[in-house]
Amino acid sequence: MSAPELSSSFDEARARGRRFALALAGLVLVTLGVAVLSLFAGRYGLSAADTLGALLNPDAKTPAASILWNVRLPRIALALVAGAGLAASGAAFQALFANPLASPDTLGVATGSSFGAVLAILLGLGSAGIQGCAVVAGLVAIALVMMVSRVRPGGDQTGSILMIVLSGMVVGALFTALVSLVKFAADPQDVLPSITFWLMGSLTGATVTSLLSGLPLLIAGGAILLALSWRLNAAALPPDEAASLGINVRLLRGAVILAATLLTASVVSLCGLIGWVGLLVPHAARFLFGAANERVLPASMVLGALFLLVIDTAARTMAESEIPVSILTALVGAPVFIWLMRRSSGRF
């Protein structure tokens, strides 16, 4: 490549980077705008004056301040971080396995975390116990997957990835059965309804304390994925080709799986099982910004936060009783996923 062609290529890459940065900044502004509008939405309407007064005086003993600081702000914050975490996990799994149908459920992390959470609910543990049990069970699930999926040294890399996916399905089925066993043992008058509603996904129990307890793992997992996003493009390469680029595929795969596991387990521990975010949003990000993972991952985080915030706001305002979030994500996600698939002619 001649010097003028090389310079033109660099200029084009910089222009693409600027366009992406501007588009991402625009999405962030839209998300912040929707978050502000969500402050007013709910069964108890808040005016702009009430909201501004409550924000400026958080210690005020008024209904507006109580609702804003104890209910809506923690819930909006949880919707943002949960949506970003699930979308980032899905994007990482899809890139790692080169599988458009991969999602946080692929490795059985979501069902493993749900088992830990429902077991803690059955034992009457508090929010900290539920989060701790969910994270531990999620890590146990991924450890089981890695143990079951081991192949001989030097074995086929594609076969190894396939074994991981299949092992995740098997471990997920195992933990689903354990969740059913916990539901069978639960008190049908008191504990069972709580477990059933929690499994449908809900951000109702969001508090500042629960959010702060889950935030460290969410930040750690997200930071690792963003730091490795440039290297994820080489994850599908054969080990020899990746090694020539200075990338240890096995180490990269382990770090990505660990980070995505932390994200998924933390979200599940905070708000239950919420489907479709990790599957749908990364496809939307690739549809808008291309397949480069250094763009797909941050775009997925912003789009996931926006998507779950809109869904949760609708869930708490559409009917007299709150609609479980996972029902709305499925109702919205399935048609949108079909539309994206048709627009892409079945190729992601």
Side-chain angles (χ1 to χ4, degrees), residues 35 40 50 54 62 117-118 121 127 150-151 188 206 233 289 341-342:
F40 307 111
D50 291 337
T62 61
V118 298
I121 293 174
S127 59
R150 282 180 181 170
V151 295
N233 295 319
F289 301 108
M341 188 167 55
R342 291 179 64 87

mmCIF file with all atom_site columns, all heavy atoms in Angstrom, residues 35 40 50 54 62 117-118 121 127 150-151 188 206 233 289 341-342:
data_model
loop_
_atom_site.group_PDB
_atom_site.id
_atom_site.type_symbol
_atom_site.label_atom_id
_atom_site.label_alt_id
_atom_site.label_comp_id
_atom_site.label_asym_id
_atom_site.label_entity_id
_atom_site.label_seq_id
_atom_site.pdbx_PDB_ins_code
_atom_site.Cartn_x
_atom_site.Cartn_y
_atom_site.Cartn_z
_atom_site.occupancy
_atom_site.B_iso_or_equiv
_atom_site.pdbx_formal_charge
_atom_site.auth_seq_id
_atom_site.auth_comp_id
_atom_site.auth_asym_id
_atom_site.auth_atom_id
_atom_site.pdbx_PDB_model_num
ATOM 1   N N   . ALA A 1 35  ? -34.406 8.944   31.085 1.00 0.00 ? 35  ALA A N   1
ATOM 2   C CA  . ALA A 1 35  ? -34.307 8.778   32.536 1.00 0.00 ? 35  ALA A CA  1
ATOM 3   C C   . ALA A 1 35  ? -34.972 9.933   33.269 1.00 0.00 ? 35  ALA A C   1
ATOM 4   O O   . ALA A 1 35  ? -35.666 9.733   34.278 1.00 0.00 ? 35  ALA A O   1
ATOM 5   C CB  . ALA A 1 35  ? -32.846 8.643   32.954 1.00 0.00 ? 35  ALA A CB  1
ATOM 6   N N   . PHE A 1 40  ? -40.956 11.361  36.272 1.00 0.00 ? 40  PHE A N   1
ATOM 7   C CA  . PHE A 1 40  ? -42.322 11.858  36.412 1.00 0.00 ? 40  PHE A CA  1
ATOM 8   C C   . PHE A 1 40  ? -43.361 10.757  36.259 1.00 0.00 ? 40  PHE A C   1
ATOM 9   O O   . PHE A 1 40  ? -44.515 10.932  36.656 1.00 0.00 ? 40  PHE A O   1
ATOM 10  C CB  . PHE A 1 40  ? -42.605 12.945  35.360 1.00 0.00 ? 40  PHE A CB  1
ATOM 11  C CG  . PHE A 1 40  ? -41.600 14.053  35.337 1.00 0.00 ? 40  PHE A CG  1
ATOM 12  C CD1 . PHE A 1 40  ? -40.735 14.210  34.267 1.00 0.00 ? 40  PHE A CD1 1
ATOM 13  C CD2 . PHE A 1 40  ? -41.502 14.948  36.390 1.00 0.00 ? 40  PHE A CD2 1
ATOM 14  C CE1 . PHE A 1 40  ? -39.798 15.230  34.239 1.00 0.00 ? 40  PHE A CE1 1
ATOM 15  C CE2 . PHE A 1 40  ? -40.571 15.977  36.373 1.00 0.00 ? 40  PHE A CE2 1
ATOM 16  C CZ  . PHE A 1 40  ? -39.717 16.116  35.301 1.00 0.00 ? 40  PHE A CZ  1
ATOM 17  N N   . ASP A 1 50  ? -42.356 19.653  41.823 1.00 0.00 ? 50  ASP A N   1
ATOM 18  C CA  . ASP A 1 50  ? -42.157 18.693  42.914 1.00 0.00 ? 50  ASP A CA  1
ATOM 19  C C   . ASP A 1 50  ? -40.842 17.943  42.761 1.00 0.00 ? 50  ASP A C   1
ATOM 20  O O   . ASP A 1 50  ? -40.107 17.731  43.738 1.00 0.00 ? 50  ASP A O   1
ATOM 21  C CB  . ASP A 1 50  ? -43.320 17.698  42.951 1.00 0.00 ? 50  ASP A CB  1
ATOM 22  C CG  . ASP A 1 50  ? -44.624 18.340  43.386 1.00 0.00 ? 50  ASP A CG  1
ATOM 23  O OD1 . ASP A 1 50  ? -44.560 19.386  44.057 1.00 0.00 ? 50  ASP A OD1 1
ATOM 24  O OD2 . ASP A 1 50  ? -45.693 17.795  43.050 1.00 0.00 ? 50  ASP A OD2 1
ATOM 25  N N   . ALA A 1 54  ? -37.660 18.136  45.263 1.00 0.00 ? 54  ALA A N   1
ATOM 26  C CA  . ALA A 1 54  ? -37.174 16.934  45.942 1.00 0.00 ? 54  ALA A CA  1
ATOM 27  C C   . ALA A 1 54  ? -35.703 16.682  45.644 1.00 0.00 ? 54  ALA A C   1
ATOM 28  O O   . ALA A 1 54  ? -34.945 16.229  46.509 1.00 0.00 ? 54  ALA A O   1
ATOM 29  C CB  . ALA A 1 54  ? -38.012 15.729  45.521 1.00 0.00 ? 54  ALA A CB  1
ATOM 30  N N   . THR A 1 62  ? -41.460 15.037  52.516 1.00 0.00 ? 62  THR A N   1
ATOM 31  C CA  . THR A 1 62  ? -42.612 15.169  51.628 1.00 0.00 ? 62  THR A CA  1
ATOM 32  C C   . THR A 1 62  ? -42.786 13.869  50.845 1.00 0.00 ? 62  THR A C   1
ATOM 33  O O   . THR A 1 62  ? -41.817 13.120  50.633 1.00 0.00 ? 62  THR A O   1
ATOM 34  C CB  . THR A 1 62  ? -42.414 16.323  50.641 1.00 0.00 ? 62  THR A CB  1
ATOM 35  O OG1 . THR A 1 62  ? -41.257 16.051  49.827 1.00 0.00 ? 62  THR A OG1 1
ATOM 36  C CG2 . THR A 1 62  ? -42.212 17.640  51.376 1.00 0.00 ? 62  THR A CG2 1
ATOM 37  N N   . ALA A 1 117 ? -30.495 -17.439 44.139 1.00 0.00 ? 117 ALA A N   1
ATOM 38  C CA  . ALA A 1 117 ? -31.387 -16.407 44.666 1.00 0.00 ? 117 ALA A CA  1
ATOM 39  C C   . ALA A 1 117 ? -32.652 -17.011 45.281 1.00 0.00 ? 117 ALA A C   1
ATOM 40  O O   . ALA A 1 117 ? -33.060 -16.626 46.378 1.00 0.00 ? 117 ALA A O   1
ATOM 41  C CB  . ALA A 1 117 ? -31.747 -15.415 43.565 1.00 0.00 ? 117 ALA A CB  1
ATOM 42  N N   . VAL A 1 118 ? -33.289 -17.953 44.571 1.00 0.00 ? 118 VAL A N   1
ATOM 43  C CA  . VAL A 1 118 ? -34.533 -18.526 45.107 1.00 0.00 ? 118 VAL A CA  1
ATOM 44  C C   . VAL A 1 118 ? -34.253 -19.371 46.345 1.00 0.00 ? 118 VAL A C   1
ATOM 45  O O   . VAL A 1 118 ? -35.090 -19.451 47.258 1.00 0.00 ? 118 VAL A O   1
ATOM 46  C CB  . VAL A 1 118 ? -35.284 -19.352 44.040 1.00 0.00 ? 118 VAL A CB  1
ATOM 47  C CG1 . VAL A 1 118 ? -35.689 -18.472 42.869 1.00 0.00 ? 118 VAL A CG1 1
ATOM 48  C CG2 . VAL A 1 118 ? -34.474 -20.528 43.560 1.00 0.00 ? 118 VAL A CG2 1
ATOM 49  N N   . ILE A 1 121 ? -34.124 -16.907 49.081 1.00 0.00 ? 121 ILE A N   1
ATOM 50  C CA  . ILE A 1 121 ? -35.483 -16.475 49.421 1.00 0.00 ? 121 ILE A CA  1
ATOM 51  C C   . ILE A 1 121 ? -36.175 -17.532 50.264 1.00 0.00 ? 121 ILE A C   1
ATOM 52  O O   . ILE A 1 121 ? -36.859 -17.225 51.248 1.00 0.00 ? 121 ILE A O   1
ATOM 53  C CB  . ILE A 1 121 ? -36.291 -16.197 48.132 1.00 0.00 ? 121 ILE A CB  1
ATOM 54  C CG1 . ILE A 1 121 ? -35.708 -14.987 47.402 1.00 0.00 ? 121 ILE A CG1 1
ATOM 55  C CG2 . ILE A 1 121 ? -37.764 -15.950 48.459 1.00 0.00 ? 121 ILE A CG2 1
ATOM 56  C CD1 . ILE A 1 121 ? -36.343 -14.728 46.047 1.00 0.00 ? 121 ILE A CD1 1
ATOM 57  N N   . SER A 1 127 ? -31.587 -9.150  51.436 1.00 0.00 ? 127 SER A N   1
ATOM 58  C CA  . SER A 1 127 ? -31.155 -8.803  50.082 1.00 0.00 ? 127 SER A CA  1
ATOM 59  C C   . SER A 1 127 ? -29.679 -9.109  49.861 1.00 0.00 ? 127 SER A C   1
ATOM 60  O O   . SER A 1 127 ? -29.283 -9.578  48.787 1.00 0.00 ? 127 SER A O   1
ATOM 61  C CB  . SER A 1 127 ? -31.435 -7.323  49.812 1.00 0.00 ? 127 SER A CB  1
ATOM 62  O OG  . SER A 1 127 ? -30.752 -6.502  50.758 1.00 0.00 ? 127 SER A OG  1
ATOM 63  N N   . ARG A 1 150 ? -14.301 -29.726 29.116 1.00 0.00 ? 150 ARG A N   1
ATOM 64  C CA  . ARG A 1 150 ? -12.878 -29.895 28.850 1.00 0.00 ? 150 ARG A CA  1
ATOM 65  C C   . ARG A 1 150 ? -12.651 -30.883 27.721 1.00 0.00 ? 150 ARG A C   1
ATOM 66  O O   . ARG A 1 150 ? -13.267 -31.940 27.656 1.00 0.00 ? 150 ARG A O   1
ATOM 67  C CB  . ARG A 1 150 ? -12.157 -30.405 30.097 1.00 0.00 ? 150 ARG A CB  1
ATOM 68  C CG  . ARG A 1 150 ? -11.902 -29.320 31.126 1.00 0.00 ? 150 ARG A CG  1
ATOM 69  C CD  . ARG A 1 150 ? -11.183 -29.897 32.331 1.00 0.00 ? 150 ARG A CD  1
ATOM 70  N NE  . ARG A 1 150 ? -10.943 -28.885 33.334 1.00 0.00 ? 150 ARG A NE  1
ATOM 71  C CZ  . ARG A 1 150 ? -10.507 -29.141 34.554 1.00 0.00 ? 150 ARG A CZ  1
ATOM 72  N NH1 . ARG A 1 150 ? -10.273 -30.400 34.917 1.00 0.00 ? 150 ARG A NH1 1
ATOM 73  N NH2 . ARG A 1 150 ? -10.305 -28.174 35.414 1.00 0.00 ? 150 ARG A NH2 1
ATOM 74  N N   . VAL A 1 151 ? -11.728 -30.529 26.823 1.00 0.00 ? 151 VAL A N   1
ATOM 75  C CA  . VAL A 1 151 ? -11.318 -31.423 25.751 1.00 0.00 ? 151 VAL A CA  1
ATOM 76  C C   . VAL A 1 151 ? -9.830  -31.670 25.888 1.00 0.00 ? 151 VAL A C   1
ATOM 77  O O   . VAL A 1 151 ? -9.131  -30.967 26.604 1.00 0.00 ? 151 VAL A O   1
ATOM 78  C CB  . VAL A 1 151 ? -11.633 -30.816 24.362 1.00 0.00 ? 151 VAL A CB  1
ATOM 79  C CG1 . VAL A 1 151 ? -13.140 -30.677 24.179 1.00 0.00 ? 151 VAL A CG1 1
ATOM 80  C CG2 . VAL A 1 151 ? -10.957 -29.463 24.198 1.00 0.00 ? 151 VAL A CG2 1
ATOM 81  N N   . PRO A 1 188 ? -46.610 -22.479 49.773 1.00 0.00 ? 188 PRO A N   1
ATOM 82  C CA  . PRO A 1 188 ? -47.439 -21.989 48.658 1.00 0.00 ? 188 PRO A CA  1
ATOM 83  C C   . PRO A 1 188 ? -48.227 -20.733 48.984 1.00 0.00 ? 188 PRO A C   1
ATOM 84  O O   . PRO A 1 188 ? -48.698 -20.052 48.072 1.00 0.00 ? 188 PRO A O   1
ATOM 85  C CB  . PRO A 1 188 ? -48.374 -23.175 48.374 1.00 0.00 ? 188 PRO A CB  1
ATOM 86  C CG  . PRO A 1 188 ? -48.423 -23.941 49.651 1.00 0.00 ? 188 PRO A CG  1
ATOM 87  C CD  . PRO A 1 188 ? -47.073 -23.783 50.277 1.00 0.00 ? 188 PRO A CD  1
ATOM 88  N N   . ALA A 1 206 ? -35.711 -2.411  44.070 1.00 0.00 ? 206 ALA A N   1
ATOM 89  C CA  . ALA A 1 206 ? -34.485 -1.624  43.963 1.00 0.00 ? 206 ALA A CA  1
ATOM 90  C C   . ALA A 1 206 ? -34.359 -0.640  45.117 1.00 0.00 ? 206 ALA A C   1
ATOM 91  O O   . ALA A 1 206 ? -35.285 0.110   45.413 1.00 0.00 ? 206 ALA A O   1
ATOM 92  C CB  . ALA A 1 206 ? -34.464 -0.861  42.642 1.00 0.00 ? 206 ALA A CB  1
ATOM 93  N N   . ASN A 1 233 ? -12.185 -9.348  18.577 1.00 0.00 ? 233 ASN A N   1
ATOM 94  C CA  . ASN A 1 233 ? -12.264 -9.605  17.143 1.00 0.00 ? 233 ASN A CA  1
ATOM 95  C C   . ASN A 1 233 ? -11.402 -10.803 16.741 1.00 0.00 ? 233 ASN A C   1
ATOM 96  O O   . ASN A 1 233 ? -11.669 -11.444 15.723 1.00 0.00 ? 233 ASN A O   1
ATOM 97  C CB  . ASN A 1 233 ? -11.816 -8.372  16.351 1.00 0.00 ? 233 ASN A CB  1
ATOM 98  C CG  . ASN A 1 233 ? -12.745 -7.200  16.550 1.00 0.00 ? 233 ASN A CG  1
ATOM 99  O OD1 . ASN A 1 233 ? -13.956 -7.367  16.584 1.00 0.00 ? 233 ASN A OD1 1
ATOM 100 N ND2 . ASN A 1 233 ? -12.179 -6.003  16.682 1.00 0.00 ? 233 ASN A ND2 1
ATOM 101 N N   . PHE A 1 289 ? -24.012 -0.146  13.950 1.00 0.00 ? 289 PHE A N   1
ATOM 102 C CA  . PHE A 1 289 ? -22.623 0.319   13.972 1.00 0.00 ? 289 PHE A CA  1
ATOM 103 C C   . PHE A 1 289 ? -21.627 -0.662  13.361 1.00 0.00 ? 289 PHE A C   1
ATOM 104 O O   . PHE A 1 289 ? -20.427 -0.396  13.402 1.00 0.00 ? 289 PHE A O   1
ATOM 105 C CB  . PHE A 1 289 ? -22.203 0.614   15.418 1.00 0.00 ? 289 PHE A CB  1
ATOM 106 C CG  . PHE A 1 289 ? -23.051 1.655   16.082 1.00 0.00 ? 289 PHE A CG  1
ATOM 107 C CD1 . PHE A 1 289 ? -23.958 1.306   17.074 1.00 0.00 ? 289 PHE A CD1 1
ATOM 108 C CD2 . PHE A 1 289 ? -22.970 2.981   15.697 1.00 0.00 ? 289 PHE A CD2 1
ATOM 109 C CE1 . PHE A 1 289 ? -24.748 2.265   17.692 1.00 0.00 ? 289 PHE A CE1 1
ATOM 110 C CE2 . PHE A 1 289 ? -23.756 3.952   16.312 1.00 0.00 ? 289 PHE A CE2 1
ATOM 111 C CZ  . PHE A 1 289 ? -24.648 3.596   17.303 1.00 0.00 ? 289 PHE A CZ  1
ATOM 112 N N   . MET A 1 341 ? -33.781 -9.813  11.824 1.00 0.00 ? 341 MET A N   1
ATOM 113 C CA  . MET A 1 341 ? -33.344 -10.987 11.089 1.00 0.00 ? 341 MET A CA  1
ATOM 114 C C   . MET A 1 341 ? -33.759 -10.881 9.622  1.00 0.00 ? 341 MET A C   1
ATOM 115 O O   . MET A 1 341 ? -32.991 -11.221 8.709  1.00 0.00 ? 341 MET A O   1
ATOM 116 C CB  . MET A 1 341 ? -33.923 -12.239 11.738 1.00 0.00 ? 341 MET A CB  1
ATOM 117 C CG  . MET A 1 341 ? -33.392 -13.542 11.169 1.00 0.00 ? 341 MET A CG  1
ATOM 118 S SD  . MET A 1 341 ? -33.816 -14.949 12.215 1.00 0.00 ? 341 MET A SD  1
ATOM 119 C CE  . MET A 1 341 ? -35.601 -14.793 12.317 1.00 0.00 ? 341 MET A CE  1
ATOM 120 N N   . ARG A 1 342 ? -34.968 -10.382 9.381  1.00 0.00 ? 342 ARG A N   1
ATOM 121 C CA  . ARG A 1 342 ? -35.427 -10.235 8.002  1.00 0.00 ? 342 ARG A CA  1
ATOM 122 C C   . ARG A 1 342 ? -34.652 -9.133  7.276  1.00 0.00 ? 342 ARG A C   1
ATOM 123 O O   . ARG A 1 342 ? -34.323 -9.258  6.095  1.00 0.00 ? 342 ARG A O   1
ATOM 124 C CB  . ARG A 1 342 ? -36.927 -9.949  7.968  1.00 0.00 ? 342 ARG A CB  1
ATOM 125 C CG  . ARG A 1 342 ? -37.776 -11.137 8.400  1.00 0.00 ? 342 ARG A CG  1
ATOM 126 C CD  . ARG A 1 342 ? -39.266 -10.778 8.375  1.00 0.00 ? 342 ARG A CD  1
ATOM 127 N NE  . ARG A 1 342 ? -39.691 -10.467 7.008  1.00 0.00 ? 342 ARG A NE  1
ATOM 128 C CZ  . ARG A 1 342 ? -40.108 -11.356 6.120  1.00 0.00 ? 342 ARG A CZ  1
ATOM 129 N NH1 . ARG A 1 342 ? -40.134 -12.654 6.462  1.00 0.00 ? 342 ARG A NH1 1
ATOM 130 N NH2 . ARG A 1 342 ? -40.493 -11.001 4.916  1.00 0.00 ? 342 ARG A NH2 1
#
